[in-house]
Amino acid sequence: MNPRTALVALGLVLVAFFAPILARGRVVFPHDNALQVGLASDGGEGSNLRFSDQSAYFVPEMEAHLHAPRSAWIATWTDCVQLGRPLTHLSGLSPAYLPNWVLSRVVDDPFVLHTWLFALTVLGTALFAFLFFRALEVDAWIAAAGACAAATSAPVLYWSGFLVYASGFCWTFCVLWLAVRTIERPTLARATGIAAATSLLLVSAYPQH
């Protein structure tokens, strides 16, 4: 299998993985909204409220970034609470994170935005992992299998409602790939790529990453 065929096969696997969600207009969301809308809920495993950060923080913050008043390309303040508060620009929630900025040009629903960001992050994880493995001269089909395993691994999919975890894997693989290529042959473009990937890692990933 040549590298191009391996990469196409990897892409087809990911398309098949996300098609049932994205093609049907569904979103990634970890729990029901019974408690939030005042319905009876035991708050147990069925409600899966251990992952409620997405509904309590991530999605509302994205909503504020999408619709808060602003005088330029990015909002810095929201009046959604009584005294108002500054908006955060970390965790990939803000247009300060380039993929978020691109998607926010065409998406105005925070649930959809979060879902598409997650799908693109998984795709980026697979792509950068494949490029990293190939930079290490791993055989193409093994690199494709490893990239698929990395992108759809339990640590990524388990935290599908928390972009901060998936983003850490995505941009770390990107930095590793560019680091290997830069060691082989330093160029300004590769050094710039490392700087850009590092900044994206810092603005989107969990601090431990």
Side-chain angles (χ1 to χ4, degrees):
M1 182 184 291
N2 62 53
R4 181 174 298 178
T5 303
L7 192 58
V8 169
L10 176 60
L12 291 175
V13 169
L14 293 174
V15 167
F17 184 83
F18 279 105
I21 299 173
L22 301 179
R24 296 176 185 177
R26 295 178 177 175
V27 296
V28 171
F29 201 70
H31 62 82
D32 63 46
N33 277 327
L35 183 65
Q36 284 75 7
V37 298
L39 299 177
S41 172
D42 59 8
E45 290 298 319
S47 293
N48 209 21
L49 292 177
R50 74 176 69 183
F51 298 119
S52 61
D53 283 7
Q54 183 179 354
S55 59
Y57 178 64
F58 296 137
V59 166
E61 198 73 6
M62 283 185 167
E63 168 73 17
H65 276 293
L66 287 169
H67 301 114
R70 71 201 68 206
S71 60
W73 66 280
I74 197 167
T76 58
W77 187 266
T78 177
D79 56 5
C80 66
V81 294
Q82 187 172 9
L83 299 178
R85 63 171 177 82
L87 289 168
T88 182
H89 298 281
L90 298 176
S91 303
L93 304 177
S94 158
Y97 179 50
L98 182 60
N100 186 318
W101 181 84
V102 172
L103 283 176
S104 66
R105 302 303 93 193
V106 295
V107 174
D108 63 358
D109 184 303
F111 294 94
V112 176
L113 177 61
H114 191 282
T115 299
W116 275 98
L117 271 177
F118 177 69
L120 288 179
T121 302
V122 171
L123 178 63
T125 301
L127 174 63
F128 294 132
F130 178 82
L131 293 172
F132 172 55
F133 296 146
R134 288 296 296 156
L136 296 178
E137 299 183 352
V138 174
D139 185 81
W141 76 268
I142 297 176
C148 184
T152 60
S153 63
V156 173
L157 299 185
Y158 180 81
W159 296 105
S160 58
F162 296 71
L163 287 170
V164 289
Y165 291 103
S167 295
F169 287 96
C170 176
W171 298 113
T172 296
F173 273 121
C174 184
V175 171
L176 290 171
W177 162 56
L178 290 169
V180 172
R181 292 306 188 192
T182 301
I183 291 170
E184 290 175 347
R185 185 169 64 86
T187 67
L188 178 60
R190 289 172 177 176
T192 302
I194 290 176
T198 302
S199 70
L200 290 168
L201 177 66
L202 290 172
V203 81
S204 67
Y206 205 60
Q208 279 85 334
H209 291 164

